[in-house]
Amino acid sequence: MASENGTLIHLRDVHKVYYRDRIEVPVLQGINLDVHEGEFLALMGPSGSGKSTLLNLIAGIDAPTKGEVRVAGESLGTLKPSRLAAWRARHIGFIFQLYNLIPVLTAYQNVELPLLLTRLSSRERKKRVLFALGLVGLEGRAKHFPRQLSGGEEQRVAIARAIVADPTLLVADEPTGDLDAKNAAEILTLLKRLNEELKKTVLMVTHDPHAAERAHLIYHLDKGVLQS
Amino acid sequence: MAIPLAYNLRNLSARKVSTVLTALGIGLVSWVFIFTLALAGGFQSALQATGSPTNAIVIRNGSTAELTSIVARDAAASIESQPEIARAPDGTPLATHELVVLWNLKRKNGTPANVVVRGVTAKSVALRPKIHLVEGRMFRPGLEEVVVGKLAQARIAHCALGDRIKLAGRQWSIVGVFDAQGTAFDSEIWGDVELFMPVFDRPVYQSVTLRLDEPSHFGALRKRLEADPRMSVQVKHEDEFYAAQSATLAALLRGLGLFVTLVMALGAIFGALNTMYAAVGSRTKEIGTLLALGFSRGSILTSFLIESVLLATLGGLLGSLMTLPVNGITTSTMNFASFSEIAFRFQVTPSMLLSGMIFAAVMGALGGFFPSRKAARRVIVEALREA
Amino acid sequence: MKYLRLIVANLLRSKRRTFLTVFSIAIALFLFCTLRTVITSFEASLRASQATRLVVRHAASLVFPLPLAYRERLAQVPGVTGISYGNWFGGYYQDPKNQFAQFAMDVPTLLDLFPEVVLPTAQAEAFRSERTACIIGGALARKYGWKLGDQVPIIGTIFPGEWRFVVRGIYTGQTKDVDENTLFFHWDYLNESLPEGRRNFVGIYWLRIASPDLAASVSGRVDAIFENSPQPTKTETEKAFQAGFISMIGNVQLLLTIIGSAIVFAIMLVTINTMMMAARERTREIAVLKTLGFSDGLILRLVGGEALFLSLLGGALGCGLAALVFRESDFTAGGFFPNFRVLPETVLLGLLLAAIMGFLSGVAPAVQAARLEIASALRKVA
Ligand SMILES: Nc1ncnc2c1ncn2[C@@H]1O[C@H](COP(=O)(O)OP(=O)(O)O)[C@@H](O)[C@H]1O
Ligand SMILES: [Mg+2]
């Protein structure tokens, strides 16, 4: 998956410019970043500094204005949209701040979503969904709809959804941003376990210094530049 | 305190695509509504206008159309000598006896049509003041000449001035074209009744039409003629006679139109409901704010209802405008009462347009009511909390 | 198939909206089937007509009859294997509004030439042997509640007076296209009742020919025989005769097609709007699915499939309802459409139309969803 030397994420001179009413808004200005397999990396920085933008570039849901983004052995800029989608399905597990579960689907069905894109049989899918739900401690909530769950539970379902297809990289955009301290701590412990026990590489954006402490490495993003 | 109309207008224009689609959907319902009314109305008024209230028509007892009627020569003569008949300037009775046959001719598009061929007298035109020659001249009695109605000329093959048309084995010259102002006569071919009788091998007339000297004399005339056992005839007001011919088909057309539009309106109302529910849903926060600002629930209900009615009326306006090009288009059908071809024009009247708009507005009100009520029943706190 | 559950879950999201949409589509298709059936019921006589039967009538006009004497000469034309004749009676029952067809027919040959008129043998015998007997179609019997042995008074408009016929048979059609709203009685009875001068005239002769291939040659031969007589004939296949009659009705087909198109189009606009609203409300969810790796093509199919599913559901409901309602109700619009029955072709056409509606109303939102930029869609606060 990763390149020879174990580098999973490789960013070189990445720029991102947005246009707001024709005015250029430079967000990322020449980012260089290398992340190795198995790392747990936290990305901090003030609001609006471009953390989410950077994360989106790495997760392949946004494209840089300039520069190279190489993740899990693919240079994302060269992939066609359909290949990119398949690449995301295979390599990325995304955890959002606002969980983003599909409200009309049960916890089970939400977790099953990424598996629909695979060739797995429904029995095989079931096994994996239950395993993922077990991992986040929610096997009893499979039949519940998102609105019947608490915020912390919703986020745990979202994490189960992110890991069920066994992706190479977990990206989390302020996963604890909307949770109280107790729930936040639980989610962080969970991410830490995934990193340690399942050897998942985790890239997490956060505001919270306590959260960042759990990571191996902390990067700061400010005024479009990355500092460690 | 009412919420200003500008608020609704701005909301409608903010979701342009949705507004246009919904309005067009409702507009098309209005269009179909007006279209069928114009069709039935055109057909009916063509036949209704054919008869005149001051004329009476005499046909055989039991017949519902001239075609199946028989009036013998001597009966016709005694009918025309009745005292209640108005006089022509020359002192002769203003009455005519006519022969009516259906002739199978081809339309210009090649399909067959049963055209009414009417044998008439010199009085026939005088009795129908709507009829004017617009081209050529009247046929000369005793000659193989005919005149054709304007709509027959337009739709039937070989009916132009100067053409010859084959009827009953003979060639007839078309020497004139008359305009009967959209009445059933416009679809007919007229020639000399006394020549037609031997040529078409018919020893009897189909009807006698006469002008009453005094409308109130109708009753007396009718009583006397219908009581006469030698004749066995019935006497009718000419306008009622023709109106009755259109009744069944016009009722059928209206019934079909009403059925179709009412059912279709239900579909459009469902669409309006969807649109308005979505509008209410996407403006939950706004509604909360308005309530918090002190607007009453009544004014919120009214405001959304107005928006819906506005939307639908816009559609109704579009639909009405779209029916205008239909006005005056000529079409034809078989008059089932007489099995004959009758051409008529779509007639879009202002009252039809108005009904179409009202119809649309009602659809809007019905489609807007429940969503508006939902909007008005919002609880402020909840509405504000919802993202 | 595994994605079907996603589509269904989305449809259940706003049950009210789904219900309203499905029903408005059902209504459009119900109306479509109804209007289409108006046209096909006009054409039922075409489908019921037999290729081996010719119609002979006066060349110029239906109002002119042919002499009875033509019968012998027609029977001798090579290729003719059977002959029957009759007159259109043109009466009504009680009120001119109660219209249905009555024919005075040559009874001995009637059932032979019209095998589609199916009558039990005993009833056929009773009909044959009684001068004032008549037979009526099953639908007509149901409509007026007439039973065997009833006296049916008919007021004549062409042949004046009140005529009383005794119902001796109730026929059924061999196929569903056969009109079951006709009354047949004895031509002899009519003929004998007429004044001297009007006797022995026939409105229409029907000829049976050995094979459909003979139609043109036999027609030509018949018309040639009478060409220069005072009563020339026009001979054509039954189908051509009926087609001519239908075309006299004029632009009905066009008018109904216009109305039907307007209906379908109106509901389609409304459906497009609903689909777009539904997709717009789900912008964020679609972005999430894409993040999970759902490709643009799959999203396109999911959103489009939802529209298609809704439309087909509505279409099946509407067409099914129309087929059911008009079968159960013996609907004739006052005798105007004796054979008002939704044909299987109409249902298929309706479903096809529903599919096209679904496709068209799904295109815009599906393309919109497929083109969605994930990152900016996720940024929007729901
Ligand atoms: N799609 C976009 N269009 C315009 N500006 C954007 C867009 N996405 C982000 N931005 C701008 O880029 C900057 C960085 O945004 P973001 O990456 O979300 O910051 P963070 O996650 O660090 O708070 C902000 O100023 C934001 O307004
Ligand atoms: Mg952010």
Side-chain angles (χ1 to χ4, degrees):
Chain A
M1 273 319 107
S3 58
E4 312 285 300
N5 55 13
T7 311
L8 190 61
I9 303 174
H10 175 80
L11 266 55
R12 276 300 166 274
D13 193 27
V14 169
H15 290 253
K16 181 74 185 180
V17 179
Y18 284 114
Y19 291 88
R20 218 176 285 153
D21 300 329
R22 301 248 185 95
I23 300 166
E24 274 191 22
V25 184
V27 179
L28 302 178
Q29 299 175 327
I31 303 282
N32 295 308
L33 176 67
D34 286 280
V35 180
H36 294 279
E37 255 182 285
E39 273 184 325
F40 189 150
L41 188 140
L43 191 58
M44 297 190 71
S47 192
S49 57
K51 305 181 295 292
S52 296
T53 304
L54 182 58
L55 208 63
N56 289 347
L57 292 180
I58 292 168
I61 58 178
D62 204 352
T65 316
K66 192 182 133 200
E68 195 198 4
V69 179
R70 224 180 146 71
V71 184
E74 291 279 4
S75 183
L76 302 189
T78 63
L79 292 181
K80 284 187 303 184
S82 58
R83 294 280 315 280
L84 192 60
W87 175 88
R88 278 198 302 271
R90 171 70 196 85
H91 293 293
I92 302 295
F94 210 113
I95 300 160
F96 304 89
Q97 176 180 356
L98 290 171
Y99 335 127
N100 278 340
L101 298 179
I102 308 291
V104 291
L105 299 179
T106 60
Y108 179 94
Q109 290 168 339
N110 265 291
V111 175
E112 193 189 17
L113 278 174
L115 295 181
L116 294 181
L117 299 169
T118 65
R119 292 176 183 282
L120 297 176
S121 69
S122 72
R123 186 195 293 167
E124 188 70 19
R125 292 204 299 269
K126 183 168 182 179
K127 222 176 82 191
R128 296 209 187 188
V129 171
L130 293 180
F131 174 77
L133 279 173
L135 212 60
V136 298
L138 286 177
E139 52 278 74
R141 300 303 201 105
K143 292 216 167 70
H144 289 226
F145 285 93
R147 69 187 135 75
Q148 298 166 324
L149 301 172
S150 74
E153 286 167 338
E154 274 195 78
Q155 191 60 297
R156 271 147 62 193
V157 173
I159 291 174
R161 181 176 68 182
I163 58 169
V164 72
D166 194 22
T168 319
L169 173 66
L170 280 181
V171 290
D173 194 349
E174 304 193 30
T176 58
D178 227 39
L179 297 176
D180 59 41
K182 180 170 161 288
N183 273 306
E186 272 175 33
I187 294 295
L188 288 169
T189 311
L190 190 55
L191 286 176
K192 186 84 186 151
R193 263 182 62 208
L194 291 174
N195 173 247
E196 284 168 357
E197 292 171 19
L198 300 179
K199 304 285 178 252
K200 293 281 160 211
T201 312
V202 180
L203 183 54
M204 175 176 76
V205 166
T206 184
H207 265 323
D208 179 3
H210 296 294
E213 271 168 25
R214 309 279 191 111
H216 304 154
L217 272 168
I218 302 180
Y219 280 91
H220 287 271
L221 189 60
D222 203 0
K223 306 214 171 69
V225 193
L226 204 57
Q227 294 153 345
S228 59
Chain B
M1 190 167 39
I3 298 168
L5 200 61
Y7 170 78
N8 303 113
L9 288 175
R10 211 160 299 140
N11 273 315
L12 286 176
S13 70
R15 45 187 167 98
K16 273 194 200 66
V17 177
S18 170
T19 300
V20 168
L21 287 174
T22 312
L24 264 182
I26 288 174
L28 276 169
V29 180
S30 299
W31 186 84
V32 170
F33 179 71
I34 300 172
F35 184 85
T36 52
L37 282 183
L39 179 67
F43 173 71
Q44 194 162 34
S45 77
L47 277 171
Q48 234 152 26
T50 302
S52 147
T54 54
N55 287 355
I57 181 167
V58 186
I59 55 173
R60 185 182 63 179
N61 197 9
S63 294
T64 50
E66 281 178 285
L67 202 61
T68 56
S69 162
I70 289 172
V71 180
R73 277 176 183 273
D74 52 347
S78 77
I79 293 166
E80 289 177 28
S81 64
Q82 300 296 316
E84 290 87 354
I85 300 176
R87 300 277 142 183
D90 63 358
T92 56
L94 205 46
T96 180
H97 41 266
E98 292 173 341
L99 175 130
V100 175
V101 292
L102 279 188
W103 211 257
N104 200 317
L105 295 173
K106 289 235 179 315
R107 296 195 186 110
K108 282 184 173 158
N109 65 13
T111 56
N114 282 330
V115 177
V116 170
V117 177
R118 187 182 290 271
V120 300
T121 68
K123 300 276 170 50
S124 292
V125 174
L127 277 160
R128 280 82 174 212
K130 284 189 175 132
I131 296 182
H132 300 283
L133 266 186
V134 288
E135 267 184 78
R137 56 174 173 81
M138 204 57 194
F139 63 83
R140 278 193 289 256
L143 293 184
E144 282 159 2
E145 294 178 347
V146 291
V147 293
V148 298
K150 201 176 49 175
L151 296 177
Q153 188 209 26
R155 304 179 68 80
I156 304 297
H158 310 302
C159 273
L161 193 65
D163 277 356
R164 297 175 137 252
I165 191 168
K166 196 174 174 200
L167 297 172
R170 299 201 191 181
Q171 296 285 346
W172 303 77
S173 304
I174 293 171
V175 298
V177 177
F178 61 86
D179 177 358
Q181 295 178 21
T183 61
F185 297 127
D186 261 335
S187 305
E188 298 185 352
I189 297 176
W190 285 16
D192 176 17
V193 65
E194 296 309 327
L195 179 58
F196 273 10
M197 289 181 82
V199 171
F200 285 92
D201 190 23
R202 305 229 104 182
V204 291
Y205 305 118
Q206 264 61 58
S207 65
V208 172
T209 303
L210 52 90
R211 167 87 39 85
L212 291 161
D213 58 350
E214 193 56 57
S216 57
H217 288 162
F218 176 79
L221 176 71
R222 173 182 180 168
K223 207 163 173 191
R224 186 165 343 103
L225 289 179
E226 291 189 353
D228 190 335
R230 289 164 306 169
M231 289 200 245
S232 173
V233 293
Q234 49 184 331
V235 183
K236 297 185 172 193
H237 282 295
E238 197 190 21
D239 56 342
E240 286 168 11
F241 171 74
Y242 280 104
Q245 290 204 344
S246 70
T248 313
L249 189 57
L252 186 78
L253 289 174
R254 283 218 176 82
L256 183 75
L258 206 65
F259 168 75
V260 166
T261 38
L262 282 185
V263 175
M264 192 179 167
L266 201 64
I269 288 172
F270 284 2
L273 276 170
N274 268 338
T275 310
M276 289 311 291
Y277 269 124
V280 170
S282 66
R283 273 189 259 158
T284 302
K285 213 169 191 166
E286 248 168 73
I287 296 167
T289 312
L290 288 171
L291 284 170
L293 285 178
F295 284 99
S296 71
R297 292 182 190 285
S299 60
I300 300 238
L301 180 104
T302 319
S303 174
F304 272 92
L305 209 52
I306 284 177
E307 190 167 317
S308 172
V309 171
L310 214 60
L311 175 66
T313 313
L314 182 75
L317 191 68
L318 277 174
S320 299
L321 286 178
M322 286 190 292
T323 55
L324 290 181
V326 174
N327 190 27
I329 288 181
T330 307
T331 185
S332 72
T333 185
M334 183 163 76
N335 178 6
F336 285 84
S338 63
F339 288 109
S340 60
E341 159 104 348
I342 171 161
F344 60 96
R345 294 206 159 99
F346 277 87
Q347 218 169 53
V348 179
T349 63
S351 77
M352 283 178 197
L353 293 178
L354 190 67
S355 329
M357 302 266 287
I358 293 174
F359 187 49
V362 170
M363 280 189 272
L366 290 177
F369 179 72
F370 293 101
S372 308
R373 199 178 57 170
K374 182 182 169 191
R377 285 190 180 166
R378 279 266 113 122
V379 179
I380 305 182
V381 193
E382 267 179 25
L384 284 175
R385 188 175 336 121
E386 238 170 75
Chain C
M1 267 308 109
K2 56 189 175 187
Y3 298 113
L4 194 65
R5 206 171 52 209
L6 273 182
I7 292 180
V8 172
N10 272 327
L11 290 175
L12 294 178
R13 171 190 309 257
S14 170
K15 294 199 188 65
R16 179 181 55 218
R17 174 156 62 205
T18 303
F19 170 87
L20 291 174
T21 311
V22 166
F23 269 78
S24 61
I25 294 169
I27 279 168
L29 269 298
F30 173 79
L31 287 176
F32 169 81
C33 286
T34 308
L35 294 177
R36 179 80 207 142
T37 303
V38 171
I39 296 175
T40 59
S41 68
F42 276 132
E43 290 167 353
S45 59
L46 279 186
R47 291 189 300 273
S49 63
Q50 310 236 331
T52 55
R53 221 158 39 211
L54 302 181
V55 173
V56 187
R57 61 180 160 118
H58 193 286
S61 174
L62 275 172
V63 296
F64 295 136
L66 299 168
L68 182 61
Y70 279 17
R71 175 184 172 188
E72 305 306 324
R73 297 171 68 184
L74 287 169
Q76 281 159 18
V77 173
V80 174
T81 63
I83 182 167
S84 185
Y85 55 89
N87 280 358
W88 169 257
F89 184 72
Y92 58 84
Y93 170 61
Q94 287 179 342
D95 187 284
K97 284 196 187 96
N98 295 327
Q99 290 215 356
F100 54 88
Q102 306 102 28
F103 277 98
M105 292 295 295
D106 180 47
V107 171
T109 54
L110 167 67
L111 294 177
D112 175 40
L113 231 83
F114 296 88
E116 68 267 37
V117 173
V118 180
L119 198 61
T121 326
Q123 294 184 11
E125 195 43 53
F127 177 40
R128 258 194 288 270
S129 55
E130 187 174 339
R131 220 170 57 102
T132 58
C134 72
I135 58 171
I136 55 177
L140 198 59
R142 282 195 294 282
K143 183 170 177 194
Y144 294 110
W146 290 332
K147 298 178 300 296
L148 291 180
D150 281 0
Q151 278 236 343
V152 174
I154 303 291
I155 317 284
T157 62
I158 304 174
F159 306 99
E162 190 188 89
W163 298 68
R164 291 182 164 270
F165 307 112
V166 189
V167 179
R168 288 297 177 214
I170 296 178
Y171 73 86
T172 49
Q174 198 178 36
T175 67
K176 284 178 174 169
D177 287 320
V178 176
D179 175 16
E180 280 191 14
N181 286 281
T182 301
L183 182 153
F184 297 105
F185 66 97
H186 288 253
W187 184 87
D188 289 340
Y189 173 47
L190 173 71
N191 195 44
E192 287 156 22
S193 314
L194 293 177
E196 196 74 51
R198 295 186 71 191
R199 280 190 200 164
N200 295 333
F201 281 104
V202 167
I204 295 176
Y205 285 99
W206 283 270
L207 307 180
R208 187 176 55 219
I209 49 177
S211 121
D213 306 334
L214 296 174
S217 62
V218 173
S219 305
R221 240 172 272 154
V222 169
D223 290 346
I225 294 174
F226 303 106
E227 193 175 354
N228 293 312
S229 71
Q231 284 102 353
T233 58
K234 170 140 178 84
T235 308
E236 56 195 343
T237 61
E238 200 172 45
K239 191 170 210 139
F241 174 74
Q242 300 287 6
F245 205 73
I246 290 165
S247 74
M248 286 180 200
I249 296 166
N251 290 332
V252 174
Q253 191 154 354
L254 177 68
L255 297 177
L256 292 179
T257 307
I258 290 174
I259 294 174
S261 316
I263 292 170
V264 169
F265 191 58
I267 299 297
M268 197 173 77
L269 293 179
V270 169
T271 311
I272 291 177
N273 183 35
T274 309
M275 290 297 154
M276 283 173 59
M277 288 186 310
R280 199 175 312 131
E281 284 171 17
R282 294 209 300 269
T283 306
R284 190 180 183 84
E285 282 168 38
I286 289 166
V288 170
L289 288 179
K290 285 188 165 190
T291 307
L292 294 181
F294 281 59
S295 67
D296 295 358
L298 181 54
I299 297 284
L300 188 93
R301 290 201 297 279
L302 284 177
V303 176
E306 200 179 316
L308 202 63
F309 187 94
L310 268 185
S311 295
L312 281 175
L313 188 65
L317 265 175
C319 296
L321 191 71
L324 210 70
V325 164
F326 296 121
R327 188 176 46 209
E328 295 303 317
S329 67
D330 252 338
F331 172 80
T332 64
F336 233 78
F337 310 115
N339 242 316
F340 209 82
R341 184 170 61 84
V342 181
L343 298 180
E345 296 94 284
T346 303
V347 171
L348 277 182
L349 198 65
L351 288 178
L352 182 71
L353 205 64
I356 293 173
M357 252 172 95
F359 180 77
L360 290 180
S361 59
V363 163
V367 168
Q368 223 170 33
R371 287 222 190 115
L372 196 71
E373 298 268 351
I374 310 176
S376 44
L378 282 174
R379 270 173 53 83
K380 282 197 195 111
V381 188

